[in-house]
Amino acid sequence: MDYLYIGNVKIEKTAVLAPMAGVCDYAQRVLCRENGAALVFGEMASSAGLAYGDKKTPKLLASGESEKPFAAQIFGNRPDFMAQATEIAQDFKPDIIDINSGCPMPKITGGGAGSALLRTPKLLGEIVQAVVKASKIPVTVKIRTGWDENSINVAEIAKICEASGASAITVHARTREQFYSGAADWSRIAEVKKAVKIPVIGNGDVTSAEKCKQMYEQTGCDLVMIGRAAWGAPWIFRGIGGTSGTNGTSGTPYPTLDERLEIMTRHIELLISDKGEQVAMKQARAHVAKYLRGLRGAAAFRNMCANLSTREDFLILTEKIKSNYEEN
């Protein structure tokens, strides 16, 4: 097994789970760690929310031993609030503090945070400096290639983050204007790798162990990050575990129907234990729909997901899925 260090945090050189708002909660993170994710990132927490004492925001920073190594992610556009958020976040014992300067959503960029910071490099540098000064653990930064194709500045941004004290950079190889559409431009990850000396994490369009291997080979990145491809498929990390991306893949077979349903059921049980049945089952609707991708009769089963309200509803759905396969 190959390893790398982000600051003093030792990480297997396989693949890590990306921070995804509304997706990467406790249940998702635990399942991905169990299936081989080398590091997991939490959902982004608002620095303003933390600074003003919002009661819900701190919950996004909580993690357990089964999730470690764990990176807590914060966002905002004020260095003072980001520093204060860093101090609060450390009370939850994360291994890494991650600064979000890549989120493309209007509600985030409209306030000057997320990928809007790509348009204000000086401010981003000040934010990184403030967070690093307030932190006793490594600080990383997640960025995109630029605001749009006419303002690609990823190498410049990466250098500023490095000079400001960041211990690693994650590059989502799309512009803000792309959101999550179009192809990720991996050449930009390679560009950043040549521009800085700190570890570079590549993100974008890695949907399999083979794609992970290709990203390592084509970009020279130090670590690979997987986001949407792990939603409803935490087993994606199984095929990558035990490789550095340059030594081939483990060839872990796609899970059987029973294995898939078992993992899906564990996910829902973790959700319920963490959030209570009423809240968990509302959130389970989207998760279950993702787990059903590619199954026979998936469209009909996804329609049933919209009505999931109790654990019993979920168990009935899984039995119908099993019956559908037994009858065909």
Side-chain angles (χ1 to χ4, degrees):
M1 178 70 69
D2 291 334
Y3 296 87
L4 77 155
Y5 283 86
I6 294 178
N8 60 352
V9 181
K10 185 178 182 180
I11 301 169
E12 295 176 357
K13 192 172 180 180
T14 53
V16 306
L17 175 66
M20 292 181 284
V23 177
C24 289
D25 57 11
Y26 168 77
Q28 176 74 12
R29 298 193 303 261
V30 167
L31 278 172
C32 288
R33 280 291 290 139
E34 289 178 351
N35 279 273
L39 166 70
V40 295
F41 286 72
E43 301 175 82
M44 61 181 182
S46 165
S47 60
L50 292 169
Y52 284 123
D54 177 73
K55 294 181 179 180
K56 294 182 179 180
T57 305
K59 295 179 181 179
L60 299 172
L61 303 171
S63 65
E65 286 300 316
S66 59
E67 301 167 70
K68 290 186 173 296
F70 168 78
Q73 189 182 72
I74 57 177
F75 75 92
N77 71 336
R78 284 182 51 171
D80 56 341
F81 279 4
M82 290 291 279
Q84 189 173 344
T86 298
E87 293 173 354
I88 295 170
Q90 288 177 99
D91 291 338
F92 292 87
K93 309 299 182 183
D95 300 284
I96 293 169
I97 298 290
D98 187 59
I99 298 170
N100 183 311
S101 52
C103 179
M105 302 309 293
K107 66 179 180 179
I108 304 299
T109 60
S115 54
L117 290 170
L118 302 174
R119 307 175 83 174
T120 55
K122 183 176 180 294
L123 175 59
L124 177 55
E126 292 170 355
I127 287 172
V128 176
Q129 288 178 3
V131 171
V132 169
K133 184 177 180 180
S135 181
K136 297 178 181 178
I137 58 178
V139 173
T140 59
V141 187
K142 191 166 193 282
I143 63 178
R144 284 181 172 242
T145 59
W147 182 259
D148 56 34
E149 62 180 12
N150 296 316
S151 56
I152 301 294
N153 60 348
V154 66
E156 173 197 350
I157 293 291
K159 289 178 181 178
I160 289 172
C161 292
E162 179 180 42
S164 299
S167 294
I169 299 284
T170 298
V171 179
H172 182 160
R174 287 183 172 86
T175 64
R176 184 273 177 180
E177 195 174 67
Q178 283 182 277
F179 280 76
Y180 300 99
S181 65
D185 184 355
W186 289 3
S187 70
R188 298 300 180 181
I189 300 172
E191 182 182 345
V192 172
K193 180 59 185 169
K194 293 177 181 178
V196 299
K197 295 180 180 179
I198 57 177
V200 174
I201 305 170
N203 178 216
D205 291 352
V206 175
T207 56
S208 65
E210 184 58 34
K211 283 285 188 178
C212 179
K213 177 175 181 288
Q214 290 173 7
M215 178 176 277
Y216 274 115
E217 292 176 340
Q218 293 179 26
T219 70
C221 67
D222 300 284
L223 199 57
V224 169
M225 176 178 282
I226 298 176
R228 289 171 296 159
W231 189 11
W235 49 78
I236 189 173
F237 294 102
R238 292 181 186 177
I240 298 166
T243 79
S244 66
T246 57
N247 299 320
T249 61
S250 67
T252 302
Y254 202 75
T256 64
L257 175 65
D258 286 343
E259 288 174 329
R260 185 195 293 220
L261 294 179
E262 181 180 345
I263 292 172
M264 180 175 71
T265 299
R266 174 156 169 70
H267 192 146
I268 303 313
E269 293 297 341
L270 283 169
L271 267 180
I272 292 172
S273 66
D274 183 41
K275 302 179 179 182
E277 186 171 7
Q278 184 175 8
V279 173
M281 293 314 301
K282 288 181 180 179
Q283 296 182 1
R285 297 166 186 170
H287 289 292
V288 173
K290 291 293 184 182
Y291 276 103
L292 299 181
R293 285 178 299 192
L295 288 182
R296 181 190 306 143
F301 292 133
R302 279 197 297 270
N303 288 335
M304 293 177 63
C305 290
N307 297 314
L308 293 176
S309 298
T310 66
R311 178 193 276 109
E312 185 62 27
D313 292 339
F314 170 74
L315 295 176
I316 291 172
L317 174 59
T318 58
E319 287 304 314
K320 288 185 176 180
I321 294 171
K322 290 179 182 178
S323 297
N324 184 59
Y325 271 74
E326 291 170 357
E327 294 170 359
N328 289 279

